[in-house]
Amino acid sequence: MESNIRNFCIIAHIDHGKSTLADRLLEYTGTISKREMKDQILDGMELERERGITIKAKAVRMNYKDKDGKEYVLNLIDTPGHVDFTYEVSRALAACEGAILVIDATQGVEAQTLANTMLAKNAHLKIIPVINKIDLPTADVDSAYEQMKEGLDVDAEPILASAKEGIGIGEIVDSVIANVPPAKVIEDEPLSAIIFDSFYDSYRGVIVIVRVFEGRIRKGMKISLMASGAEYEVLEAGYMRIKMVEADELSSGEVGYVVAGIKDIHDIKIGDTITEKTNPTTHPHPGYKEIHPFVFAGLYPNSTSEYDGLKTALEKLRLSDSSLVYAPETSVALGFGFRCGFLGSLHLEIVKERLEREFGLSLLVTAPNVVYKVKVKDAVFTIDNPAKFPNNADISEIWEPYVEATIICPAEYLGALLDLCQKRRGRQIQLKYMNTKIVVMKYHLPLAEIIVGFYDALKSVSKGYASFDYEHIAPQQGDLVKLEIMINSEVVDAFTIITHQDKAQSAAHFLTEKLRGIIPRHMFEIPIQAKVNNKIIARENISAVRKDVLAKCYGGDITRKRKLLEKQKEGKRKMRQFGRVEIPPEAFVAVLKIDE
């Protein structure tokens, strides 16, 4: 029998109207009343609403009755659009049979539109194209249609819609029912369900969001998590209809939540298969590829008393963000903290804001850096912390991570963007015109060059019109050096960066000058030096605050004045020897702005 369940997601470039379309679908299907409705209702995080972006994929169940009175269950998963959250998109696609591809009529096809379409095609999903925002005066439907045909290679006729005005919503729902393959119902097999999301509830423990492929999951059932081997009893199962609605069971083809009193957050692995303990499945879901962080930074509490709070907060956050990786570390300048791995610089920013808002912490972040592979003699080391980088004399080869970047922009900004990529050590791979006005460029770029300031610079030189997406490729050899900053003759590990040989001099001058302006004057002179390979390549001095020791000398012999000055000089020398330089938090932010 054909199932009445349709599992689908919405994919698009950032800010093309995914969340607004989800709002209209919820209204159209009567899942939520006009009175309860608010914009971006699926974006539950305050941060998502403020920034107008989706950070986490959201699942919601809609019951819909068509004109003939036939009832359908529509399971919608709203996905993020930013390149840093591609992982969230891939997880959503694994739980679906179809995807609504949204293209902004005013912007046309952009970089993430291209990337997410490829993900959906690779997952063999049925794609339903929608050209959104047709009500805007700047909408160019013909151009968007032409770009979709040429750039995305999607043959289906697009539905013209305006999510804001509610135009075309009925056609989208009808198209989902007609074109998305019904979920396969296999109820006589042992339970096989995939975990594609989870979150933490302080009363009920870890709540997992699952898609059931085979069998059924019900209250009281003893379940086993196949990757971790943990065993639990199901306390509650149900559907996500904005709020959680308890049900007797979740059967094959359905999407819902499971509560099993899971207190140990380490038992949950996103992509794991849930099966029945007494009758396990013989074919677990292949899961997702293990996600590896690409950008690392140190997170330190401003007060040492907050260290335990930061540790607990990271554990809880890791539950809803499985791509976050962290390990404890200590810094001479900053004390105890954690070395954290992120998918990109936006991911770093979001994690920091979430930790501060949701857990009331006050944090300090060191400069982000990437993972290098270093060959010393015959051994190869992986280094995620610049302070641990070996001396250049011992290194025979260094490999740095590279990405293949796709940039889509109007032809008039081509020159400025070529210049930007050249400055960032990029190598051009492809340049083609999507039509007479739009250009697609592919570049191989070092990841270290794009994690700080690149996106802002790209938007700046293209007046906001260029879009950018990247995927990771094999690491390549690079001529890199470790740049260390010494303050009062002591190396401050938090300021250490890895940079290209050609950029070391300018980076050294930038940092020493910046720090001279930020670090306050002390009672003794403070030298700020930058060194590469034990050779000082830049220096700035912060002069001492001096007490006027000659104020009480109204006259008399010059030797008396000299004696007082010499005594002061000796005191300053001793102070400099034993004195401790207070470095304000703003100084650590200076390193983040080195490439701007």
Side-chain angles (χ1 to χ4, degrees), residues 26 31-32 41-42 59-61 239-244:
L26 291 168
T31 306
I32 195 159
I41 194 156
L42 291 184
V60 64
R61 175 187 172 109
Y239 312 118
M240 306 292 286
R241 287 176 63 88
I242 305 296
K243 296 184 176 71
M244 293 192 288

Side-chain angles (χ1 to χ4, degrees), residues 58-113:
K58 309 287 185 317
V60 64
R61 175 187 172 109
M62 303 179 287
N63 289 7
Y64 175 68
K65 192 183 278 189
D66 68 5
K67 299 181 189 78
D68 304 328
K70 192 173 178 184
E71 292 188 359
Y72 291 93
V73 172
L74 308 177
N75 287 314
L76 158 69
I77 299 171
D78 183 21
T79 63
H82 194 279
V83 60
D84 278 9
F85 303 111
T86 303
Y87 179 57
E88 290 275 341
V89 179
S90 68
R91 289 174 9 186
L93 298 180
C96 298
E97 280 83 26
I100 295 175
L101 171 66
V102 180
I103 299 163
D104 187 333
T106 63
Q107 306 276 352
V109 169
E110 295 200 71
Q112 266 95 43
T113 323

Side-chain angles (χ1 to χ4, degrees), residues 180-465:
V180 172
K184 285 180 184 167
V185 176
I186 310 169
E187 291 186 344
D188 47 359
E189 288 283 327
L191 171 66
S192 172
I194 184 173
I195 301 173
F196 70 87
D197 204 358
S198 65
F199 59 93
Y200 190 82
D201 183 291
S202 27
Y203 301 105
R204 298 194 282 180
V206 182
I207 297 172
V208 293
I209 314 296
V210 298
R211 156 76 197 267
V212 183
F213 283 99
E214 295 168 2
R216 56 186 70 219
I217 191 165
R218 66 180 80 82
K219 192 174 176 176
M221 181 187 267
K222 297 271 194 300
I223 56 166
S224 168
L225 305 174
M226 297 188 85
S228 61
E231 294 172 355
Y232 292 97
E233 182 181 329
V234 177
L235 304 176
E236 186 186 314
Y239 312 118
M240 306 292 286
R241 287 176 63 88
I242 305 296
K243 296 184 176 71
M244 293 192 288
V245 179
E246 191 175 351
D248 296 332
E249 64 177 24
L250 285 177
S251 57
S252 174
E254 293 188 315
V255 173
Y257 71 90
V258 175
V259 180
I262 304 167
K263 294 295 181 195
D264 187 354
I265 57 180
H266 302 292
D267 285 348
I268 300 297
K269 288 187 171 51
I270 301 299
D272 194 359
T273 303
I274 295 181
T275 190
E276 195 170 359
K277 182 186 166 187
T278 51
N279 183 19
T281 181
T282 50
H283 37 273
H285 196 276
Y288 312 111
K289 63 177 190 237
E290 191 69 31
I291 189 75
H292 297 293
F294 301 106
V295 174
F296 284 83
L299 284 183
Y300 291 86
N302 270 338
S303 160
T304 47
S305 59
E306 287 186 340
Y307 176 79
D308 288 332
L310 175 58
K311 187 179 178 183
T312 310
L314 282 167
E315 281 182 353
K316 287 183 178 174
L317 191 62
R318 170 126 173 59
L319 199 65
S320 64
D321 185 353
S322 59
S323 50
L324 175 67
V325 174
Y326 63 92
E329 75 166 3
T330 52
S331 158
V332 178
L334 303 172
F336 292 96
F338 290 89
R339 192 89 195 149
C340 302
F342 307 93
L343 300 177
S345 47
L346 178 74
H347 187 211
L348 185 160
E349 217 177 298
I350 296 296
V351 167
K352 179 180 180 280
E353 281 204 41
R354 285 187 69 186
L355 286 168
E356 289 184 331
R357 287 182 187 207
E358 293 171 29
F359 302 97
L361 299 168
S362 175
L363 298 176
L364 215 153
V365 183
T366 62
N369 65 281
V370 298
V371 187
Y372 296 98
K373 278 194 168 61
V374 174
K375 188 176 182 183
V376 178
K377 292 175 182 160
D378 291 331
V380 176
F381 299 99
T382 300
I383 292 168
D384 60 21
N385 187 343
K388 292 177 182 169
F389 212 76
N391 291 326
N392 282 58
D394 303 331
I395 299 171
S396 50
E397 286 174 0
I398 305 172
W399 292 277
E400 61 176 331
Y402 262 71
V403 296
E404 185 176 293
T406 303
I407 299 169
I408 299 180
C409 70
E412 64 202 88
Y413 303 112
L414 180 61
L417 286 165
L418 290 172
D419 189 42
L420 174 67
C421 293
Q422 194 72 35
K423 281 181 184 165
R424 301 283 179 142
R425 300 192 283 130
R427 195 171 72 252
Q428 194 183 108
I429 303 302
Q430 188 188 46
L431 181 72
K432 69 170 186 182
Y433 282 79
M434 203 181 279
N435 56 28
T436 52
K437 294 176 186 170
I438 306 291
V439 185
V440 181
M441 295 190 287
K442 282 191 188 295
Y443 262 86
H444 282 181
L445 284 156
L447 180 62
E449 295 283 349
I450 64 168
I451 58 170
V452 178
F454 181 78
Y455 191 70
D456 293 342
L458 180 91
K459 288 292 181 189
S460 178
V461 299
S462 67
K463 296 191 170 55
Y465 287 110

Side-chain angles (χ1 to χ4, degrees), residues 523-525 544 546 549 561-579:
M523 293 299 289
F524 50 94
E525 186 185 59
R546 294 183 64 180
V549 290
K561 292 184 180 179
R562 280 195 188 136
K563 188 178 168 186
L564 285 169
L565 288 169
E566 284 300 320
K567 193 176 173 186
Q568 185 188 42
K569 195 174 172 184
E570 180 60 20
K572 299 278 183 203
R573 193 184 65 76
K574 278 185 181 170
M575 248 192 237
R576 184 174 153 191
Q577 196 175 344
F578 302 109

